[in-house]
Amino acid sequence: MQLNNQDKTFLGASLATAIIGVALIVIGFVFRFGGGFATFSTYAQQDNDFLELKRLDMIFGLFVAAAGVLVLSFIVATISVVRHNTFLLKVYCAMIALMIVVQLVDGLLAFTYSDQINQLASDDILYESLNKTSKLTRPPIGTLPSDAETQFWANTQNSFGCCGVMSSADWTTAWGGAGSSSDLEALHCYQRHYNDGCEKVIRNRISSDAQYLGAASMGVLVVEIIASFLAGYRAYTLAHPEFDDKL
């Protein structure tokens, strides 16, 4: 079946949204599970989820779901063009319009969470968590306890390459001046990271990931709006052939 210029333009726009959808899914999974973040998130949520990472999971879920719908919408667009089906074109418009709303909401949630992470990952909260862990890991440290607090610090320091809240000195202070390098290493606090506090690393990592997800959600809106407009326009010309003939 031969396609006219309107069909080709519309299919091109819908293909672009599908490609962007695939890219968004890849980006979302890289941010959510890459660089040791998946392990960190698991233990942080077990440790009373004081960083409210379930909110980030919700943002990630909406992000991936919207991207998946963009990919599926290309199939609807292709069938509607091949069959010249105005109903499917309207369905496509509705799908894209819904995804525009979802991605706007997701972007706003992501930026809001990014702003709030400074309060959630405050010094006081992290020091409180570290002090609880220090009471369970008095030097000399043999086998690490399996409680959520200790596992959070061990895996965070191992995944993000950091030590303590501000530095490794936080552990020494919490242990009352006791502790050796081997005790710190038992918690995956290594000498090369003694001056790399986890507070800054946690804030930067979560804040930047949330901002990237928010920016990516809103960045594709222009393409989606164009595709939705083209679908609506094509549905109108199919419903009014006399108008299409004049073009």
Side-chain angles (χ1 to χ4, degrees), residues 6 9-14 89 92-93 225-235:
Q6 292 182 43
T9 302
F10 169 56
L11 278 180
S14 60
L89 283 170
Y92 177 86
C93 287
I225 292 173
I226 293 174
S228 181
F229 171 77
L230 291 173
Y233 181 75
R234 187 56 181 143

Side-chain angles (χ1 to χ4, degrees), residues 111-193:
F111 286 125
T112 300
Y113 180 72
S114 175
D115 290 337
Q116 293 178 345
I117 195 61
N118 288 331
Q119 286 75 43
L120 297 174
S122 66
D123 298 351
D124 293 339
I125 293 175
L126 290 174
Y127 273 121
E128 180 182 353
S129 177
L130 183 143
N131 288 330
K132 288 180 181 178
T133 302
S134 68
K135 294 176 182 178
L136 299 171
T137 55
R138 289 291 181 183
I141 299 176
T143 303
L144 285 179
S146 59
D147 64 286
E149 209 89 46
T150 302
Q151 292 300 318
F152 164 74
W153 278 102
N155 284 279
T156 296
Q157 294 180 149
N158 186 48
S159 298
F160 289 166
C162 58
C163 288
V165 179
M166 297 296 179
S167 69
S168 61
D170 294 328
W171 290 110
T172 305
T173 302
W175 287 328
S180 62
S181 60
S182 60
D183 294 317
L184 291 172
E185 287 181 5
L187 285 165
H188 302 293
C189 173
Y190 302 107
Q191 185 173 5
R192 63 183 178 276
H193 299 306

Side-chain angles (χ1 to χ4, degrees), residues 188-201:
H188 302 293
C189 173
Y190 302 107
Q191 185 173 5
R192 63 183 178 276
H193 299 306
Y194 278 0
N195 295 319
D196 302 324
C198 291
E199 178 223 27
K200 184 178 180 180
V201 175

Side-chain angles (χ1 to χ4, degrees), residues 39-119:
T39 302
F40 161 77
S41 178
T42 298
Y43 288 102
Q45 290 188 40
Q46 290 178 1
D47 186 14
N48 299 320
D49 195 21
F50 64 93
L51 295 171
E52 298 185 13
L53 288 173
K54 288 182 180 178
R55 287 173 58 187
L56 189 60
D57 284 344
M58 180 188 69
I59 293 169
F60 167 74
L62 286 173
F63 183 85
V64 173
V69 172
L70 291 181
V71 176
L72 293 176
S73 66
F74 176 66
I75 299 175
V76 176
T78 302
I79 296 175
S80 67
V81 168
V82 171
R83 297 184 178 181
H84 283 179
N85 190 309
T86 57
F87 174 75
L88 287 180
L89 283 170
K90 293 176 182 179
V91 170
Y92 177 86
C93 287
M95 291 173 66
I96 296 298
L98 178 60
M99 290 308 99
I100 289 174
V101 174
V102 170
Q103 286 175 300
L104 276 173
V105 171
D106 195 45
L108 292 174
L109 289 174
F111 286 125
T112 300
Y113 180 72
S114 175
D115 290 337
Q116 293 178 345
I117 195 61
N118 288 331
Q119 286 75 43

